[in-house]
Amino acid sequence: MTNSLVHVSAALPGAARIRRRARQRAKKTKPVAESPGGCIVLIREDCRLHDNPALHTASEMHEWVVPLFVHDDNDPSPWPVRGAGLWWRHESLKCFEKSLQGLGSRIVYRKGNLIEQVMDVMLSSGAKALHFNLQLEPWHHERDLALESTAISLGLDVRSFNAMVMKFEPWEVRLHGQKRQKREPLPAVRRLVSPKDWPWSMELADLGYGRTGGRKIPPGFGQFNEKRQRMLSAGFCDLKEDDWAYEMRRFWPMGEHAAMRRLEEWLKDAAWGCYFPPGLHPRDEAGGRFRADKAWTAMLSPYLRFGDLSPRYVDWRVSEA
């Protein structure tokens, strides 16, 4: 870990308070036989039970698991997710929450500085480990390194996992001709143990991702029109006119199970020869499968982008088919 990243994490607001709490907790802890303890799993673009390395490893290794989603008020991305992307994330989290509830678990929601919020949940819950799947963008990778540095400085176990790419992460140096064997997807998580006391959590609705009142996405990257959102919440509106996400709600089935169903539909169509390069199909005068007004594409990209579907799982199912 570079010194600059250590300095970045040390300079974060609240860092001194976090370290004080860690030292106080260490003083109160009596020497006992080492146990794996609990684990916090950070949820980002991985709202799925299948092929989720961070969640799967935590469920196998630790006594209890707390899934955590943090809305980072200081998101370093020059292009943070907005508009339709935030709506998709809201629906994705909502579906994932239902899947976790089926295992007796749930998601803890927080809002604020990501590193501060993660450390606060870890210290308040008494978790000994932090797991997360790596994000790909360079600014988020730097943030992950700062998070890892902060957690390690407090004596916590940190593990990061490859979950969004097939073989190589973008920052890895590859030698000419270097190959890496593809890994099969991990099985779906079937069991999660919850802590005795859950950390404090916001409600998903309080994050505001699902507020879509307005006849179109408001200017200035606002998520909703306040007047029409109040009307929408009160039920005094025309959904077709006053909810800019109305058509998306109708068109897209949401969540991990919907993504896997769409994959199977696409595999069946592809196996029957329903896909042709442009110009080869006898009735393909206007660009064939690249036409946006025809259901001739896989329609999997948003599921992959927001982590409802694992790229490794898609590749594995294609190979099987």
Side-chain angles (χ1 to χ4, degrees):
M1 203 62 59
T2 63
N3 288 333
S4 61
L5 286 172
V6 174
H7 292 325
V8 167
S9 61
L12 285 168
R17 175 174 55 82
I18 290 171
R19 284 185 166 76
R20 263 198 319 275
R21 289 177 63 189
R23 286 195 294 268
Q24 290 169 0
R25 191 180 74 169
K27 288 178 182 178
K28 294 178 182 178
T29 304
K30 297 179 181 178
V32 294
E34 190 67 24
S35 69
C39 180
I40 305 300
V41 177
L42 193 55
I43 304 298
R44 276 99 70 95
E45 280 95 13
D46 42 22
C47 291
R48 60 180 186 262
L49 296 178
H50 77 280
D51 195 35
N52 188 329
L55 189 64
H56 183 273
T57 305
S59 69
E60 295 286 318
M61 287 182 58
H62 292 276
E63 295 173 2
W64 50 263
V65 176
V66 171
L68 169 66
F69 178 84
V70 179
H71 172 87
D72 190 358
D73 285 339
N74 306 116
D75 189 340
S77 172
W79 305 284
V81 176
R82 292 172 171 143
L86 277 187
W87 169 81
W88 189 287
R89 180 162 286 166
H90 173 86
E91 297 297 321
S92 185
L93 285 164
K94 186 165 69 172
C95 292
F96 189 43
E97 176 100 47
K98 289 181 180 177
S99 296
L100 290 171
Q101 287 173 353
L103 301 179
S105 185
R106 61 185 178 91
I107 301 175
V108 169
Y109 298 99
R110 290 292 187 93
K111 190 174 186 292
N113 178 282
L114 180 132
I115 295 178
E116 282 190 25
Q117 292 299 321
V118 172
M119 293 301 104
D120 184 72
V121 171
M122 294 203 67
L123 294 173
S124 63
S125 66
K128 293 185 178 181
L130 170 66
H131 288 191
F132 57 86
N133 295 316
L134 292 164
Q135 292 185 290
L136 305 182
E137 298 86 352
W139 35 85
H140 289 150
H141 179 53
E142 290 179 10
R143 183 180 64 182
D144 283 349
L145 291 175
L147 172 62
E148 184 176 11
S149 172
T150 303
I152 289 174
S153 72
L154 299 179
L156 300 168
D157 178 37
V158 184
R159 299 189 182 212
S160 58
F161 301 86
N162 172 312
M164 293 186 67
V165 295
M166 293 298 301
K167 296 181 181 180
F168 293 94
E169 301 289 359
W171 52 84
E172 289 185 295
V173 176
R174 284 174 281 175
L175 303 175
H176 180 69
Q178 181 184 3
K179 294 183 178 180
R180 178 174 293 176
Q181 190 161 3
K182 290 190 293 187
R183 291 172 289 177
E184 287 194 359
L186 291 166
V189 174
R190 299 296 182 195
R191 177 178 176 273
L192 281 175
V193 178
S194 298
K196 291 181 180 178
D197 299 308
W198 280 90
W200 174 83
S201 173
M202 300 174 65
E203 296 294 327
L204 171 59
D206 295 336
L207 297 178
Y209 297 173
R211 295 174 189 164
T212 55
R215 299 195 170 182
K216 58 182 180 179
I217 298 177
F221 295 108
Q223 186 68 10
F224 58 93
N225 176 288
E226 292 188 9
K227 177 182 176 182
R228 297 196 185 278
Q229 183 61 43
R230 287 195 296 270
M231 293 169 60
L232 198 64
S233 300
F236 299 118
C237 65
D238 182 345
L239 291 178
K240 290 184 180 180
E241 295 293 328
D242 297 313
D243 180 2
W244 59 255
Y246 175 77
E247 292 296 341
M248 291 192 294
R249 294 182 203 279
R250 291 184 62 202
F251 183 83
W252 289 101
M254 297 302 299
E256 175 180 12
H257 298 301
M260 296 177 95
R261 281 196 305 271
R262 177 56 203 154
L263 172 61
E264 296 306 314
E265 291 168 1
W266 174 72
L267 288 173
K268 183 174 68 175
D269 290 344
W272 277 97
C274 297
Y275 290 85
F276 297 87
L280 289 188
H281 194 282
R283 296 185 301 277
D284 189 18
E285 299 175 356
R289 65 189 180 90
F290 294 122
R291 284 183 58 175
D293 62 330
K294 300 291 184 181
W296 291 345
T297 59
M299 292 194 293
L300 294 174
S301 57
Y303 296 118
L304 288 163
R305 161 64 181 88
F306 288 96
D308 306 292
L309 197 58
S310 154
R312 274 198 297 258
Y313 180 80
V314 173
D315 181 72
W316 175 67
R317 285 295 295 123
V318 169
S319 300
E320 279 195 329

